[in-house]
């Protein structure tokens, strides 16, 4: 297996803007961006669509474990973008509903689900420069990542961002529900037994509660240049 030249691990709480940040870094510094949360969402979507999650949220773990190794979840790369596919179907939209968000944390706490996703993520990261976001990238998936970033932001601000994102997609979110879902996921993600969300000891911490995207770019430029020096600098034209 070809090991990636540089891995940047971006971890943090839900809706701290990890994917927006990671995509921006990927674009500016020519990294491949991989969204590990999308894989957990894909497994959850499959479980929901196949009756493995009861209305009360109970997960049929036996049924899921029987099919998980045959699940054809993969990223397709087109024009520098990565899209999550389930077999031949693009599921980028379907995995971002509140219904999937409500079930994904318990699904992602199941050890055999984590083992499956970790294996897929490592396989997709062969060679090149990769930036991956999630909850345990710097602690479990790539503990030797060259650069680790941990993102935090105020909970109300995060809920507002998620709410706006959903509204912009034509969904009809209720702020209190979005906030509740976020707090619930924070709790489950940081208290599960397998690979709980925690800040890697050697991570750079970014609190972006009051930061613009441009300020995030300036911040990461400093970190990347301090760390790697040789990477081509972004244009900073916007
Ligand atoms: O980043 P996101 O909201 O799309 O992630 C969805 C869920 O997946 C999140 O509640 C926790 C889980 N997750 C995880 O446990 N480990 C990761 N590396 C990424 C996501």
């Amino acid at each position: 297996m070809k090991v990636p030249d540089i891995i940047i691990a971006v971890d943090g709480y839900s809706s701290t803007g990890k994917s927006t940040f990671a995509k921006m870094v990927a674009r500016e510094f020519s990294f491949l961006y991989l969204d590990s949360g999308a894989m957990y969402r894909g497994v959850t979507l499959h479980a929901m669509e196949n009756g493995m999650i009861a209305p009360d949220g109970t997960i049929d773990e036996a049924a899921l474990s029987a099919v998980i190794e045959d699940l054809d979840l993969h990223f397709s790369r087109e024009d520098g973008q990565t899209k999550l596919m389930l077999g031949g179907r693009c599921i980028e939209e379907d995995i971002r509903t509140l219904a999937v968000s409500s079930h994904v944390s318990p699904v992602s706490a199941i050890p055999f689900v984590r083992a499956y996703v970790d294996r897929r993520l490592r396989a997709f990261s062969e060679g090149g420069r990769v930036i991956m976001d999630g909850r345990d990238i710097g602690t479990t998936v790539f503990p030797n990542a060259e650069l680790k970033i941990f993102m935090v932001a105020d909970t109300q601000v995060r809920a507002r961002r998620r709410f706006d994102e959903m509204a912009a997609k034509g969904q009809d979110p209720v702020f209190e529900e979005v906030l509740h879902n976020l707090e619930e996921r924070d709790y489950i993600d940081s208290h599960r037994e397998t690979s709980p969300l925690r800040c890697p000891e050697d991570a750079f911490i970014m609190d972006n509660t009051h930061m613009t995207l441009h300020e995030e770019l300036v911040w990461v430029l400093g970190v990347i240049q301090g760390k790697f020096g040789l990477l081509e600098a972004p244009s900073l034209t916007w």
Side-chain angles (χ1 to χ4, degrees):
M1 176 163 135
K2 194 164 178 275
V3 176
D5 304 333
I6 296 177
I7 293 267
I8 299 181
V10 181
D11 290 304
Y13 292 90
S14 297
S15 298
T16 43
K18 297 184 298 293
S19 66
T20 308
F21 171 78
K23 278 181 200 161
M24 173 176 71
V25 174
R27 202 173 49 239
E28 294 289 343
F29 294 95
S30 302
F31 276 63
L32 170 69
Y33 165 65
L34 292 178
D35 173 357
S36 67
M39 294 287 287
Y40 289 104
R41 287 172 179 272
V43 173
T44 305
L45 180 72
H46 181 79
M48 289 168 68
E49 290 183 340
N50 290 278
M52 297 172 196
I53 303 185
D56 69 355
T58 308
I59 302 161
D60 185 345
E61 291 193 28
L64 185 55
S65 78
V67 298
I68 195 150
E69 290 305 327
D70 296 325
L71 210 55
D72 183 18
L73 266 184
H74 61 274
F75 291 102
S76 116
R77 301 174 193 177
E78 283 166 32
D79 307 327
Q81 302 263 342
T82 44
K83 290 190 166 49
L84 188 66
M85 310 288 293
L86 180 55
R89 167 185 166 205
C90 175
I91 54 170
E92 275 298 321
E93 287 290 315
D94 298 344
I95 59 173
R96 315 231 176 248
T97 61
L98 192 54
V100 170
S101 297
S102 322
H103 294 298
V104 64
S105 279
V107 171
S108 70
I110 302 171
F112 68 75
V113 172
R114 302 206 70 81
Y116 165 80
V117 170
D118 287 358
R119 231 181 5 262
R120 306 291 284 169
L121 291 173
R122 291 187 188 116
F124 282 118
S125 303
E126 290 182 27
R129 296 170 173 181
V130 174
I131 181 163
M132 187 181 293
D133 73 342
R135 304 295 187 292
D136 64 339
I137 309 306
T139 52
T140 303
V141 184
F142 290 113
N144 297 323
E146 280 72 17
L147 174 60
K148 299 178 187 179
I149 295 172
F150 193 79
M151 293 178 64
V152 296
D154 175 80
T155 311
Q156 291 278 336
V157 170
R158 291 190 284 132
R160 173 59 56 189
R161 287 177 188 160
R162 181 53 67 103
F163 176 91
D164 290 346
E165 203 176 272
M166 293 169 79
K169 282 184 187 156
Q171 298 171 14
D172 192 17
V174 175
F175 183 78
E176 287 309 320
E177 279 177 21
V178 175
L179 177 64
H180 176 70
N181 171 257
L182 206 71
E183 289 173 336
E184 206 167 57
R185 287 204 290 144
D186 283 355
Y187 185 85
I188 300 175
D189 294 347
S190 48
H191 288 82
R192 65 175 174 236
E193 258 175 50
T194 312
S195 301
L197 166 67
R198 61 183 171 78
C199 179
E201 278 175 15
D202 47 351
F204 290 82
I205 298 173
M206 177 204 278
D207 180 342
N208 68 4
T209 304
H210 302 294
M211 286 171 84
T212 62
L213 256 191
H214 186 263
E215 286 167 341
E216 290 185 14
L217 183 58
V218 172
W219 180 92
V220 78
L221 173 62
V223 171
I224 285 182
Q225 288 189 329
K227 200 80 184 160
F228 306 115
L230 293 177
L231 289 190
E232 212 173 284
S235 52
L236 284 183
T237 48
W238 53 281

